[in-house]
């Protein structure tokens, strides 16, 4: 899209990406995004790229398994249980600490080690994957006279999470460095 109108550009970003306004630093979106993204050209490219999917999935699953083997041995971390190994794409590794405070410290320490880590839910960081930030949904529920969801146990669990993405581009050295960072964090913060 090409435009010289800022308001139209901002609207296009919000329609394209429901977290676009958060990424631009202007707050939560005015409405839920619809994620209308694919064009015919993108579909043609995607069709070719789909031939690479099995190899990418195999690589991500192998990388995740490698890290999981190393991280599962560490004190203070419990890996997320996979409900279906074949259905898990291996895109991330999620471990849980004993408390939200420990998870926050572990994430900060991993970042200092160069590992892009996050908590799945942090009340201070808007993330539209987590329901407390679904303002348009809450407004619609209120207008319909329905209560907003309340899932304190879910949020408490997600606050204790340590999440890292697992790239298919990681080689063994990258994975060893990530695992070593987890080992340092477990030894200093979680032990």
């Amino acid at each position: 899209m090409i435009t010289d109108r800022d308001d139209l550009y901002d609207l296009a970003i919000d329609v394209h990406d429901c977290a676009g306004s958060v990424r631009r630093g202007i707050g939560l979106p005015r409405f839920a995004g619809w994620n209308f993204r694919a064009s015919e050209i993108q579909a043609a490219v995607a069709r070719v790229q789909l031939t690479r999917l099995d190899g990418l999935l195999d690589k991500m699953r192998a990388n995740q398994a490698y890290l999981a083997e190393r991280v599962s041995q560490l004190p203070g971390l419990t890996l997320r249980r996979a409900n279906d190994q074949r259905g898990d794409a291996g895109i991330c590794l999620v471990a849980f600490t004993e408390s939200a405070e420990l998870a926050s410290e572990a994430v900060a320490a991993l970042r200092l080690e160069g590992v892009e880590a996050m908590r799945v839910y942090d009340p201070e960081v808007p993330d539209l994957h987590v329901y407390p930030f679904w303002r348009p949904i809450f407004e619609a529920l209120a207008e319909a006279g329905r209560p907003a969801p309340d899932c304190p146990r879910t949020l408490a669990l997600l606050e204790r999470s340590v999440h890292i993405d697992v790239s298919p581009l990681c080689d063994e050295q990258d994975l060893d460095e990530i695992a070593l960072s987890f080992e340092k964090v477990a030894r200093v913060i979680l032990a």
Side-chain angles (χ1 to χ4, degrees), residues 14 18-19 21-22 27-34 127-128 130-144 146 148-149:
D14 289 346
C18 64
S21 60
V22 174
L28 295 174
R30 297 169 285 169
F31 55 87
W34 293 294
D127 184 341
L128 298 180
V130 186
Y131 82 87
F133 302 107
W134 297 350
R135 186 182 69 206
I137 303 300
F138 289 157
E139 290 170 357
L141 287 170
E143 287 175 16
R146 310 264 321 263

Side-chain angles (χ1 to χ4, degrees), residues 14-28:
D14 289 346
V15 169
H16 164 81
D17 179 1
C18 64
S21 60
V22 174
R23 290 188 223 299
R24 291 192 315 277
I26 61 172
L28 295 174

Side-chain angles (χ1 to χ4, degrees), residues 57-79:
L57 286 172
D58 290 343
K59 180 70 171 161
M60 286 189 297
R61 288 174 178 149
N63 287 351
Q64 181 197 53
Y66 185 87
L67 287 172
E69 177 64 31
R70 301 267 305 264
V71 172
S72 69
Q73 310 300 317
L74 301 175
L77 291 170
T78 303
L79 289 180

Side-chain angles (χ1 to χ4, degrees), residues 110-125:
L110 284 167
R111 287 182 175 177
L112 287 174
E113 291 291 325
V115 176
E116 281 300 314
M118 62 176 273
R119 290 191 296 164
V120 175
Y121 171 63
D122 180 340
E124 303 300 316
V125 180

Side-chain angles (χ1 to χ4, degrees), residues 53-71 79 85-86 88-93 165-172 174-176 178-179:
L53 182 60
D54 289 337
L56 289 171
L57 286 172
D58 290 343
K59 180 70 171 161
M60 286 189 297
R61 288 174 178 149
N63 287 351
Q64 181 197 53
Y66 185 87
L67 287 172
E69 177 64 31
R70 301 267 305 264
V71 172
L79 289 180
Q85 289 294 343
R86 288 191 32 80
D88 188 339
I91 63 170
C92 66
L93 181 78
D165 291 332
V166 177
S167 171
L169 302 176
C170 287
D171 60 22
E172 192 169 334
D174 296 326
L175 297 172
D176 285 339
I178 293 168

